[in-house]
Amino acid sequence: DYYASRGLGDVYKRQQYSDLGRNMRRVLQLLNTGGHYSAADISIHLHVCDPRSIIRSLRKKGIGIADYWVPTEDGHRFKRYFIREGVIN
């Protein structure tokens, strides 16, 4: 079996996240690359309409997605989302 040959950790993660929808898996995969992405960045990369609701749903499932505010030159702000190193491999 392909998954069994990759180690128990991969099998566990596959079972744990098998109930995620397609867009949830795609957002999780993008964030797992180690980058810090705004909602607009995620929309552009993955062609999803509302990544903030996807991130909210992933957090409700216990996935540790962190964020921080980034100020803009015109006094507004936006969030960048990321997964801390070592939380999900």
Side-chain angles (χ1 to χ4, degrees), residues 65-80:
I65 298 174
D67 61 59
Y68 58 92
W69 287 105
V70 178
T72 63
E73 292 177 5
D74 60 0
H76 293 93
R77 61 186 185 159
F78 64 93
K79 283 188 175 182
R80 289 204 186 271

Side-chain angles (χ1 to χ4, degrees), residues 37-58:
Y37 299 94
S38 69
D41 295 333
I42 296 169
S43 290
I44 291 168
H45 282 288
L46 302 179
H47 305 285
V48 294
C49 294
D50 187 10
R52 293 174 300 175
S53 69
I54 295 170
I55 290 168
R56 183 172 49 251
S57 297
L58 288 168

Side-chain angles (χ1 to χ4, degrees), residues 5-53:
S5 68
R6 298 190 69 196
L8 292 176
D10 289 338
V11 173
Y12 173 75
K13 281 187 277 189
R14 182 171 54 95
Q15 291 170 348
Q16 184 180 8
Y17 300 119
S18 63
D19 65 330
L20 297 180
R22 179 176 179 262
N23 283 337
M24 285 184 176
R25 286 192 309 268
R26 292 173 64 215
V27 169
L28 184 58
Q29 184 178 22
L30 178 66
L31 293 175
N32 199 35
T33 62
H36 295 210
Y37 299 94
S38 69
D41 295 333
I42 296 169
S43 290
I44 291 168
H45 282 288
L46 302 179
H47 305 285
V48 294
C49 294
D50 187 10
R52 293 174 300 175
S53 69

